[in-house]
Amino acid sequence: MYLNAFLLAIRAIKRNIMRSILTVLGIVIGVASVIAMVMLGDGTTAYVTQNISKLGSNMLIVLPGQDRHGPSSQSLTAPLFKMSDVEAIKREIYGIRAVAPVTSKGVNAVYGNKNYSTSINGSNNEYFIVKDWGFSDGRNFYQNELKSGKAVCVIGETIQKELFGDENSLGQKIRLEKFSCQVIGVLNPKGASNFGTDQDSIIIVPLKMFQRRISGTQDITMMQVSANDNVSTTQVKEELIRLFKERRNIRQGVEDDFYVRDMKDIIATVSSTTNMLTLLLGAVAAISLLVGGIGIMNIMLVSVTERTREIGIRLAIGALEREVLLQFLIEAIVLSSMGGIIGIALGIGIAAVATVMFEIPFIFNQNIIFIAFLFSTLVGIVFGYFPAKKAAKLDPIEALRHE
């Protein structure tokens, strides 16, 4: 019975091939839109997560002021940090891989007749550990260079290109404000971050050199802390908060004059936001599936009207109501399933092309493919049932009289 109903459905679809193609078009567009939107959303989430992860491995940032999530989050009245704070973190908190004191300033770097506006960071070798930053050429700082504050520097890939081009920068001197420093290393490229900044537009110098020649103070504007892989960053964050409450004599009930940012929290927040947007876009795209279902219902009602005499003959020679119902229901399911299969192929193709264009990872999501196909089949059942029921309920005598 089922095979016969399926063959009749295929015959009816072939009889009006152009109308059948236009009928499934709504389902094709709906399924393709849902799959493409979700896969692009997954790719965007992965891209954002990867870029934030480039900022550092298991990294926490300790900053002065109150966390207001904006450019003015650092309070001018909050005391800055000292090297004793860095030593306290190393001494008192378990599971720390590296602690990098950082203080920075915008400068104009000059080499020959070329100049480039960038930022200079004063830090130590643990900066490269915290940031997971390797070298494409040269080396990091020697201990005697860090202790004496020698005028040496490590540059990012952008500085290399802007000031030196294809020329070897190692051993060359660049001028930063009123002093010069010798290039001893070039960092591996990291590219732009999600916050719109070029991570490779950077110059790192020994902290003591920065404090003596640029800032003129012993202050440290931030500390970047990297936890060991087997240690929870949440636990380290709690320990950091406890430590600095004690060191800065913050009493209970008084608002902290420092804050700690966990990069994993930022990743989780951004991922949650992009996932929500993906669901929203997928839901909007799914509306076209409903439109496609209405199209199937409309065409099936027309088909019932056109084939009234055929239905009457089948009922008159002994066909059961459920057999007629099954015939038209299977026809609707076949139409919607065909649309689902074509839509899946089209959606994957669109997602693959778009990910290349937008330079984001292609994430194959088999769950959304299964859900989209299942939903397209359910659309055929739901919207095909009423026309099928109408066909099954036709009076054979009246159907045979129909012109």
Side-chain angles (χ1 to χ4, degrees):
M1 181 175 68
Y2 292 101
L3 178 60
N4 184 54
F6 177 75
L7 294 174
L8 287 172
I10 295 296
R11 191 181 304 160
I13 291 170
K14 287 182 177 179
R15 191 183 305 158
N16 297 285
I17 189 68
M18 183 56 67
R19 187 172 71 183
S20 299
I21 291 172
L22 294 175
T23 301
V24 302
L25 192 58
I27 299 295
V28 170
I29 293 172
V31 171
S33 299
V34 170
I35 290 175
M37 288 296 180
V38 171
M39 286 190 175
L40 282 173
D42 290 345
T44 302
T45 301
Y47 175 76
V48 171
T49 302
Q50 288 172 8
N51 273 7
I52 295 178
S53 298
K54 288 180 183 178
L55 296 175
S57 173
N58 293 344
M59 187 170 73
L60 301 101
I61 304 174
V62 187
L63 291 155
Q66 296 167 355
D67 191 3
R68 306 193 190 283
H69 301 285
S72 61
S73 60
Q74 181 169 314
S75 171
L76 296 175
T77 59
L80 299 178
F81 303 111
K82 303 293 183 182
M83 273 305 297
S84 58
D85 294 315
V86 176
E87 297 302 325
I89 292 175
K90 293 180 178 180
R91 185 176 61 251
E92 299 186 30
I93 297 184
Y94 167 77
I96 296 298
R97 184 167 64 133
V99 182
V102 180
T103 184
S104 60
K105 183 183 178 182
V107 295
N108 194 45
V110 180
Y111 174 72
N113 61 352
K114 297 180 181 178
N115 64 85
Y116 187 74
S117 295
T118 183
S119 64
I120 179 171
N121 282 9
S123 190
N124 56 22
N125 286 329
E126 296 194 44
Y127 179 87
F128 309 116
I129 299 173
V130 171
K131 305 281 280 187
D132 279 343
W133 219 335
F135 289 76
S136 61
D137 201 5
R139 60 174 176 84
N140 59 12
F141 305 117
Y142 292 141
Q143 286 303 313
N144 66 314
E145 293 171 339
L146 292 170
K147 290 179 180 179
S148 64
K150 189 176 179 180
V152 291
C153 60
V154 173
I155 63 175
E157 184 71 17
T158 299
I159 307 300
Q160 165 70 38
K161 290 179 180 178
E162 293 293 335
L163 296 185
F164 298 97
D166 295 330
E167 181 184 349
N168 187 358
S169 59
L170 296 185
Q172 302 295 336
K173 289 189 175 183
I174 56 176
R175 184 157 51 86
L176 307 171
E177 294 189 339
K178 297 179 181 179
F179 66 93
S180 298
C181 67
Q182 184 180 33
V183 178
I184 61 169
V186 181
L187 295 167
N188 288 329
K190 279 201 172 189
S193 73
N194 290 102
F195 306 107
T197 57
D198 182 2
Q199 297 181 81
D200 300 319
S201 178
I202 192 170
I203 299 172
I204 300 98
V205 300
L207 179 62
K208 282 193 175 181
M209 172 195 166
F210 187 100
Q211 291 172 335
R212 186 174 70 246
R213 299 200 179 192
I214 298 178
S215 67
T217 70
Q218 298 298 308
D219 293 332
I220 296 169
T221 55
M222 77 168 78
M223 292 176 291
Q224 297 178 345
V225 182
S226 178
N228 289 322
D229 291 335
N230 61 343
V231 177
S232 167
T233 54
T234 302
Q235 178 184 339
V236 174
K237 180 179 180 179
E238 291 174 354
E239 289 296 311
L240 284 169
I241 293 172
R242 178 196 58 76
L243 174 64
F244 281 96
K245 278 181 178 290
E246 292 176 1
R247 291 186 63 83
R248 295 164 87 91
N249 297 317
I250 298 173
R251 299 185 304 274
Q252 188 172 1
V254 177
E255 193 168 10
D256 296 342
D257 60 358
F258 71 95
Y259 58 100
V260 181
R261 281 184 178 169
D262 186 347
M263 297 308 296
K264 286 186 176 179
D265 290 342
I266 297 175
I267 291 173
T269 301
V270 173
S271 297
S272 176
T273 302
T274 54
N275 287 334
M276 186 62 68
L277 289 174
T278 300
L279 287 174
L280 179 61
L281 291 172
V284 171
I287 294 174
S288 58
L289 272 174
L290 297 178
V291 175
I294 294 171
I296 288 177
M297 178 184 282
N298 180 50
I299 293 303
M300 293 305 298
L301 287 171
V302 171
S303 180
V304 169
T305 303
E306 288 180 348
R307 295 156 63 187
T308 299
R309 284 181 62 81
E310 174 192 330
I311 296 167
I313 292 171
R314 288 200 66 199
L315 291 171
I317 61 175
L320 301 175
E321 285 187 11
R322 69 171 181 271
E323 292 175 337
V324 176
L325 173 69
L326 190 63
Q327 175 190 344
F328 282 87
L329 191 58
I330 287 179
E331 188 174 329
I333 293 172
V334 168
L335 284 170
S336 62
S337 299
M338 286 172 55
I341 293 170
I342 298 170
I344 288 170
L346 182 61
I348 294 174
I350 291 172
V353 172
T355 51
V356 172
M357 289 176 59
F358 298 134
E359 298 181 345
I360 60 176
F362 175 75
I363 307 296
F364 185 80
N365 190 329
Q366 59 184 11
N367 291 331
I368 194 60
I369 290 175
F370 174 75
I371 292 170
F373 180 74
L374 181 62
F375 197 75
S376 67
T377 305
L378 289 174
V379 164
I381 295 173
V382 172
F383 287 94
Y385 180 79
F386 177 72
K389 190 70 175 177
K390 181 181 178 182
K393 289 296 183 181
L394 285 175
D395 186 322
I397 304 300
E398 294 297 325
L400 288 170
R401 289 175 179 171
H402 181 78
E403 295 295 336

